[in-house]
Amino acid sequence: MRAWIFVIALSFITALSVAPPLAAQEGHPLKGSWLGTWAKSANHADDVLVVLKWDGKAITGMINPGTDNIAIKNATLNPEGWVVHLEADAKDKSGGALTYVIDGKIENIHLPKRTITGTWKNQKESGTFTVERQ
Amino acid sequence: MRIAAVRVWAFALAGLLLASVPLTAHHEILAKFDDKKPLTLSGVVTLVDWRNPHVHVFMNVKDARNQILNWAIELESVIDLQRSGWTRESIQPGDALTVQGIAARNGSRQAWGNSVVMTGTGRKVLNVTVSGPPPLLQTRPTPRWPDRQPRLGGAAPGAAQGYWAVPSSTALVENGVTVAMDAYGLLRNIADAPKVAPLQPWARALYVERQRRFLQDDPTYLNCKPPGGPRQFQTPYGVQLVEDRERRRIFVLIGGGNSNYRIIQMDGRGQKGQVGGDDDNPLYYGRAVGKWEGDTLVVETGGFNEDFWFTNGGLPHTEQLRLVERFSRTDFDTMKYDVTIEDTGAYTRPWSSSSTLRWVAGEELPRHLCQDNRP
């Protein structure tokens, strides 16, 4: 029995180790799906998924698509220091308006799994976040 | 007992997996070695590792305290060494060598060898020189098909083999701009970055970042990603154009990379992906359609992915990249290559770059497989 558990565990580790390498995204540094956490609040869970696009003029996207569906209404990237600024309108549990303001910085810009770390705030709460490009 | 057997099997498998993980890179030399750190090493060869992408010679060297230390000397590729007359047997374990080169940036006992001399005889065994194409003794006319269309891929049916190589420029720079850079597209002066192309601010900053890191993150070298776009014509081992007139398409085969190829469709189809095929699937080589305008082949290509660098030197692009390439075989030995880059995602306006390729007669396309990726 223990041997089977060992084999199953090893198979899992093996599967992880032979997973194909992450495809590099060598275009606009913000484009893609970013998965991570933002500190728990009364209005959102710990996990956060941010999907960002670049059409050559504007950065657009969505926070938690498929669940919270928070559309990003304003997004900028300052290449000087790779500083990211996002604004998005949402609703709290009682249906009241919330505006998220998210500021961060891209770390390890040269890596496929680059990260953005920073802070978020709305009218009621604030916290920190980290997301990693998937 | 069974548990022990399973564990043995498991560790063997894990070892195999670890052993098969590719190491990091075939690379811009200056990404790993510092040309401001010249060194001379004298010692005795312990091993010659004759393989792609770069040959390594390992040698024991006495340091100042009389300690014997093993150094790894990295040399050019097998193809380049063979061209210089070096064979697998040129250096043997036990031979005494003096190597001049440059030291690794990370302080490890690795060096890039610029000169290798047999200590006993003074014979120089490394003689790889970078030079331009040999001068043409005579200008021969452009070879043509019976219908008078220029032949891009050869001379005549049954004629000697050949391919296109020795690009006049190994990195894209906008026409009319002069900047100094090495064969990998590394700028001599990083302040020249804004001159290279009309980059959007983010793209310029990313280009500078790549340059500052000596291009060490180049996915074509790091992960053997195909050299899509104009980069096909900037590789050191050339390209072969195979005209499949019966099926109305042209294959572009590359001498480096992973022996992948690009197809230029010549059947009159539009610049549109095939539904269920490549219509929503951006590709390394994009979707290319070509047509003849007089003696010039005009190729329009779109549908590129963003997983690679489309030129040596690391100029960024986006999925909005579209290329218009013009190929003109102006004489037997010269292919003029003009490309216009349209990418509203990364550049402020369309821009163009031109270069030439030389016909290498009588040789097969070299086979330099990107398969090892040692640092």
Side-chain angles (χ1 to χ4, degrees), chain A residues 10 24-26 31 54-55 110, chain B residues 10 210 306-307 309 320 345:
Chain A
L10 185 79
Q25 199 287 106
E26 305 290 338
K31 184 180 168 186
W54 168 248
D55 66 2
H110 58 281
Chain B
R210 290 171 178 175
E306 297 179 358
D307 295 349
W309 295 2
Q320 294 156 69

Side-chain angles (χ1 to χ4, degrees), chain B residues 271 283 285-289 300-304 319 321-323:
Chain B
Q271 186 22 274
L283 305 166
Y285 290 117
R287 296 185 303 270
V289 296
E300 293 187 28
T301 309
F304 289 100
E319 286 187 3
L321 175 66
R322 291 179 67 87
L323 302 176

Side-chain angles (χ1 to χ4, degrees), chain B residues 14-53:
Chain B
L16 185 66
L17 286 168
L18 283 174
S20 62
V21 170
L23 298 176
T24 51
H26 172 62
H27 48 76
E28 149 72 88
I29 294 161
L30 294 183
K32 182 176 174 183
F33 301 98
D34 188 344
D35 60 352
K36 295 180 179 60
K37 291 182 183 172
L39 53 66
T40 299
L41 298 168
S42 293
V44 176
V45 175
T46 58
L47 176 73
V48 178
D49 194 7
W50 181 265
R51 53 193 290 191
N52 281 330

Side-chain angles (χ1 to χ4, degrees), chain A residues 52-109:
Chain A
L52 296 171
K53 298 177 182 175
W54 168 248
D55 66 2
K57 291 179 180 169
I59 300 161
T60 57
M62 184 82 81
I63 298 171
N64 288 336
T67 53
D68 301 329
N69 290 322
I70 305 171
I72 294 169
K73 67 174 183 180
N74 183 29
T76 60
L77 172 66
N78 183 354
E80 191 70 39
W82 300 112
V83 176
V84 180
H85 176 79
L86 307 176
E87 295 174 16
D89 287 337
K91 286 188 166 57
D92 64 16
K93 301 278 186 192
S94 60
L98 282 181
T99 298
Y100 281 94
V101 177
I102 300 167
D103 289 293
K105 181 179 176 186
I106 305 178
E107 309 282 354
N108 296 318
I109 189 92

Side-chain angles (χ1 to χ4, degrees), chain B residues 47-295:
Chain B
L47 176 73
V48 178
D49 194 7
W50 181 265
R51 53 193 290 191
N52 281 330
H54 287 169
V55 173
H56 284 72
V57 172
F58 296 86
M59 56 192 281
N60 282 337
V61 177
K62 277 187 186 173
D63 70 1
R65 292 181 296 174
N66 236 18
Q67 264 187 315
I68 293 178
L69 302 172
N70 199 249
W71 280 74
I73 311 301
E74 189 168 337
L75 302 168
E76 294 286 0
S77 70
V78 170
I79 292 173
D80 289 321
L81 292 187
Q82 284 174 329
R83 283 175 173 169
S84 73
W86 189 330
T87 70
R88 185 188 286 265
E89 286 77 34
S90 293
I91 289 179
Q92 300 289 331
D95 287 344
L97 298 180
T98 298
V99 174
Q100 289 184 319
I102 53 177
R105 289 186 184 276
N106 65 6
S108 61
R109 290 196 298 276
Q110 298 180 81
W112 175 262
N114 289 322
S115 162
V116 178
V117 174
M118 302 291 274
T119 308
T121 63
R123 183 169 66 89
K124 189 170 185 177
V125 287
L126 177 65
N127 190 27
V128 176
T129 56
V130 179
S131 60
L136 288 175
L137 299 177
Q138 58 177 359
T139 301
R140 297 178 287 176
T142 302
R144 294 178 183 273
W145 293 93
D147 62 5
R148 303 299 299 157
Q149 187 177 289
R151 297 180 69 106
L152 298 178
Q161 289 290 328
Y163 62 96
W164 295 101
V166 201
S168 61
S169 173
T170 52
L172 282 187
V173 178
E174 185 170 24
N175 284 337
V177 173
T178 302
V179 292
M181 56 176 64
D182 71 9
Y184 295 88
L186 188 67
L187 292 165
R188 302 278 183 220
N189 181 0
I190 206 162
D192 286 338
K195 299 178 191 170
V196 175
L199 292 147
Q200 290 191 17
W202 73 266
R204 184 170 62 238
L206 191 56
Y207 176 57
V208 168
E209 178 76 16
R210 290 171 178 175
Q211 290 276 326
R212 284 201 177 118
R213 291 178 56 79
F214 299 100
L215 312 176
Q216 63 183 285
D217 309 306
D218 184 346
T220 290
Y221 289 134
L222 207 56
N223 303 314
C224 296
K225 295 294 181 73
R231 198 167 186 184
Q232 270 198 302
F233 308 104
Q234 301 168 348
T235 61
Y237 304 118
V239 295
Q240 194 162 41
L241 300 175
V242 180
E243 293 172 274
D244 181 2
R245 300 187 103 202
E246 187 179 341
R247 294 180 178 81
R248 294 192 292 171
R249 58 189 178 180
I250 298 171
F251 292 90
V252 185
L253 315 180
I254 56 172
N258 273 337
S259 289
N260 39 48
Y261 56 89
R262 171 187 182 194
I263 301 178
I264 301 170
Q265 304 289 357
M266 300 291 294
D267 56 6
R269 71 181 67 183
Q271 186 22 274
K272 189 176 179 182
Q274 296 175 39
V275 174
D278 58 2
D279 60 327
D280 59 354
N281 180 26
L283 305 166
Y284 287 98
Y285 290 117
R287 296 185 303 270
V289 296
K291 63 181 179 183
W292 285 94
E293 291 182 359
D295 281 354

